[in-house]
Amino acid sequence: MTENALDSRLAVVILAAGQGTRMKSSLPKVLHRIGGRPLVGHVLDTARDLAPAHVVVVVRHERDLVADAVLGVAPEVVVVDQDEVPGTGRAVEVALDALGDFDGDVLVLSGDCPLADAGTLGSFVAEHREARAGATLMTAVLDDPTGYGRIIRESDGSVARIVEQKDASPEEAAVAEVNAGMYVFAAAALRAHLPRVGTDNAQQEKYLTDIVALLRQSDGRVAASVAKDVTVTYGVNDRVQLSEVGRLLNARTVRRWQLEGVTVLDPATTWIDVTATLAPDVTVLPNTHILRSTSIAEGATVGPDTSLVDCEVGAGATITRTDATLAVIGAGATVGPFAYVRPGTELGERGKIGTFVETKNSTIGVGSKVPHLSYVGDATIGRNVNLGAGAITANYDDISKHRTEIADEVHAGSHNVFVAPVRIGEGAKTGAGAVIRKDVPAGALALSIAPQRNTAGWVENNRPGTGAAEAAARARSAQEAGDGSQEAADG
Ligand code: UD1
Ligand code: CA
C-alpha cells in the first residue's frame, strides 16, 4: 500500500448490499474469496491506495457478516445500511447521506469488481476532474456484452444514457460498449439528480445508471473513459466468473513477483495469495500454492506439488511435494517429498523433515533430521539429532497429549516408539525397534526388545505343503549335502 497524501476532495463509495443471487450461495457474493481475500477486500484495498477522505461501504444482505468483514480489515470505513428500496441508485443515495455536506468527487465502485487497480482508478478520477463533468463513466468494449448495461451514445459521440440488459431493445442489446459499473460523480450532481430516479423498469429498482440521462437533460456534462485493459472492469456475478477473475488476479500477482526476481516455472499452476511475500531468487516449481501470510526467503525452492499456508520459509530451504500450515522452516532446511507439516512445526537451520513424515507442534533443532516414515507430534528435539526411519512419538494416551523431549546429538534407531511424556538425554542412543517408555539418561544406550529366539524347523513342522515349507526343506537338504561332502573331503 502506498502512503499517498490524503485527497480531501475524494470520497469512495463501495456497493456491497446486493445478494448475489447468481452465485447460488449462502455466503454473500462480496465475501467469496480470490487471491486470499474476499472480493470486497480487494476493492477496499484499492480504495485505500487512493487515500480518499472518506470510504463508505453500503450493506444490506447479510449485513453483519459483510460489515464485520469490512471493519475487520478497514476499521476507518463508514458502513451504511441500505433500506428496503432496491437498486444501485438507492445504495449510492444512502451513502451520500452519510457523507454529510461533502462536496468533492465521489468514486463509486462495486464490491464485486476486484480487478480495478489504484493506477487505473487514479487516472480515472484525474480524467473526471480534467473534464469538469458531472459524471464520468468507465466503459468497456466487450466481445460478449451479455448481462451488462449498454452505453447508448448520441450521433455526436457523447453518452446519452445507459440501458440495462433487461430493459434493452434488440438494437440496444447489440451494442458492445458496456457500463463497467465504476463512476466518478460530482457530489452535487448526485444530490441534485438521485432523488429524481424512479423504479419504473424491468427490475423495479432504482438504477444508478438512470442518472446519466437525467444529467444530460439538465445540461450536465457526462464524460466516458473507455478502459484500455478491459479485464480491470470484469465483475463477478456467478462462480464461472469467480474462477475467471481469480485466475486473472493470480496471473497479475505471479507476474509482479516474477518482475521482482522470483522464478516461476509455470504461472498457470502457481497460485500466490496477494498477502504472501517472496524474496528475489526464490524458485517456484509447478502446481504450488503459496497462501495467506506465507513468506519465502531468498534462494529457497518450493514445489512441485506443494501447498504452504501461513508458513515462514528460510533462505535457501527446499520444500518438495509438501503440505504445510503455520510452520517455520529454517534456512537451508529440506522438507519432503511427501511431508505433512502441521501447525506449530519449527524446523531449525539445515534440518530435515523427509519422506512420508508428519509433524505437528514440534521443534526440530538446528541440523536435526527426521528423514523417513515418521510421526513427530508435541516434541522438542535438540540440535544434530537423527531419528531412524519409522520413528513415532506416541503423544496421546487417549486422555491428553504429552511431550517428547529429545536432547542434542541423540541418535535413535529405526522404528522407535517414544511413549510420551519421555525424555532422551544428551547424546543418548536407542536400538532398532525400541519402545521407549522410560527416560533415557544422557549418553546411555537404550534397548527395549527381548533377545531374538529362533525355533529350528518350525515352518516344515507347522506349515507342511506350503511354498515356504518346500523352500525350507530344499535349504535343509542343500545344507545337509554340503555338510556330507565336507565330511567326505575331510575323511
Ligand atoms: C450493474 C449496472 C450495469 C453494469 C454492471 C457492471 C446498474 C443498474 N447496473 O449491473 O449497468 O454494466 O453493474 O458490473 O447499476 N448493490 C447494492 N444495492 C442494491 C443492488 C446492488 O449495493 O440494491 C451492489 C451489489 O452488491 C454489487 C453492485 O451493487 O456490488 C452491482 O450490483 P449488481 O446486481 O451486480 O448489478 P449488475 O446487474 O451487475
Ligand atoms: Ca455485477
Side-chain angles (χ1 to χ4, degrees):
M1 202 172 293
T2 44
E3 288 300 324
N4 296 334
L6 203 68
D7 183 346
S8 62
R9 301 277 305 148
L10 183 65
V12 178
V13 171
I14 300 173
L15 308 185
Q19 184 177 351
T21 322
R22 290 164 277 180
M23 294 297 282
K24 303 192 175 159
S25 177
S26 59
L27 189 69
K29 174 169 73 175
V30 296
L31 296 189
H32 281 260
R33 300 173 83 89
I34 57 170
R37 276 208 183 115
L39 296 174
V40 69
H42 293 284
V43 182
L44 274 170
D45 205 43
T46 310
R48 290 165 112 189
D49 278 352
L50 297 171
H54 311 275
V55 177
V56 179
V57 178
V58 184
V59 298
R60 179 171 165 87
H61 175 73
E62 294 281 11
R63 67 92 53 204
D64 288 345
L65 272 182
V66 179
D68 287 352
V70 166
L71 294 171
V73 295
E76 78 282 5
V77 160
V78 177
V79 172
V80 173
D81 288 280
Q82 188 172 348
D83 55 18
E84 61 290 335
V85 180
T88 48
R90 184 59 179 170
V92 172
E93 202 170 14
V94 298
L96 196 65
D97 281 346
L99 286 171
D101 55 7
F102 173 80
D103 73 344
D105 303 306
V106 181
L107 171 64
V108 176
L109 303 174
S110 287
D112 63 354
C113 291
L115 294 181
D117 57 291
T120 302
L121 293 177
S123 318
F124 182 45
V125 172
E127 270 181 64
H128 169 80
R129 287 172 173 174
E130 208 145 289
R132 298 179 182 281
T136 303
L137 322 173
M138 191 181 296
T139 75
V141 178
L142 301 183
D143 294 338
D144 176 13
T146 310
Y148 288 88
R150 307 298 203 282
I151 303 293
I152 309 301
R153 293 193 183 246
E154 302 283 8
S155 47
D156 66 359
S158 64
V159 175
R161 59 200 168 87
I162 300 173
V163 56
E164 291 305 299
Q165 166 92 31
K166 287 183 177 146
D167 302 292
S169 67
E171 299 78 59
E172 290 168 334
V175 172
E177 187 181 10
V178 304
N179 169 27
M182 295 178 241
Y183 324 76
V184 194
F185 297 102
L190 288 175
R191 244 177 231 114
H193 299 292
L194 268 182
R196 299 169 53 217
V197 173
T199 56
D200 182 17
N201 51 55
Q203 302 184 83
Q204 309 253 288
E205 289 184 2
K206 196 162 173 159
Y207 290 163
L208 176 60
T209 45
D210 282 355
I211 203 169
V212 170
L214 292 173
L215 253 175
R216 288 294 306 243
Q217 283 158 25
S218 65
D219 292 331
R221 283 177 54 80
V222 177
S225 170
V226 185
K228 288 172 212 77
D229 172 7
V230 294
T231 66
V232 304
T233 71
Y234 286 179
V236 173
N237 295 307
D238 57 35
R239 301 205 199 211
V240 175
Q241 291 170 329
L242 183 71
S243 71
E244 288 166 353
V245 166
R247 187 171 283 285
L248 285 165
L249 176 72
N250 186 61
R252 196 194 275 176
T253 306
V254 168
R255 183 184 153 81
R256 173 161 62 86
W257 289 118
Q258 287 175 316
L259 295 175
E260 293 291 328
V262 174
T263 293
V264 178
L265 221 68
D266 183 15
T269 63
T270 298
W271 292 86
I272 305 178
D273 277 353
V274 296
T275 41
T277 51
L278 293 84
D281 287 327
V282 164
T283 299
V284 183
L285 300 176
N287 199 23
T288 292
H289 301 231
I290 300 169
L291 306 181
R292 294 184 176 265
S293 67
T294 295
S295 66
I296 305 180
E298 227 168 84
T301 300
V302 297
D305 306 326
T306 291
S307 167
L308 303 176
V309 183
D310 287 319
C311 289
E312 191 184 317
V313 178
T318 302
I319 305 187
T320 311
R321 295 188 211 279
T322 288
D323 185 310
T325 300
L326 281 166
V328 179
I329 306 302
T334 63
V335 179
F338 308 109
Y340 182 30
V341 180
R342 294 167 52 201
T345 299
E346 279 186 44
L347 177 62
E349 269 180 45
R350 289 173 282 103
K352 179 178 177 104
I353 291 173
T355 314
F356 299 110
V357 172
E358 174 179 348
T359 62
K360 181 214 86 171
N361 193 25
S362 292
T363 305
I364 299 169
V366 173
S368 289
K369 297 183 164 58
V370 186
H372 328 276
L373 300 160
S374 293
Y375 171 65
V376 173
D378 301 308
T380 305
I381 298 178
R383 302 164 72 96
N384 298 326
V385 168
N386 192 83
L387 299 190
I392 304 287
T393 55
N395 57 330
Y396 186 46
D397 62 9
D398 267 0
I399 299 163
S400 40
K401 303 272 170 76
H402 301 284
R403 289 200 77 81
T404 298
E405 211 187 314
I406 301 180
D408 296 349
E409 304 285 347
V410 166
H411 285 203
S414 295
H415 204 258
N416 281 186
V417 180
F418 301 97
V419 183
V422 72
R423 180 177 196 277
I424 321 298
E426 288 74 3
K429 292 196 183 304
T430 61
V435 178
I436 305 294
R437 297 176 184 277
K438 294 187 301 192
D439 288 359
V440 179
L445 169 67
L447 302 173
S448 75
I449 42 169
Q452 180 171 325
R453 189 178 57 140
N454 297 336
T455 305
W458 191 95
V459 172
E460 279 184 83
N461 294 334
N462 292 282
R463 297 288 182 269
T466 64
E470 282 162 17
R474 278 197 300 276
R476 186 173 41 75
S477 316
Q479 174 78 34
E480 285 164 5
D483 289 353
S485 57
Q486 193 60 42
E487 270 160 36
D490 290 349

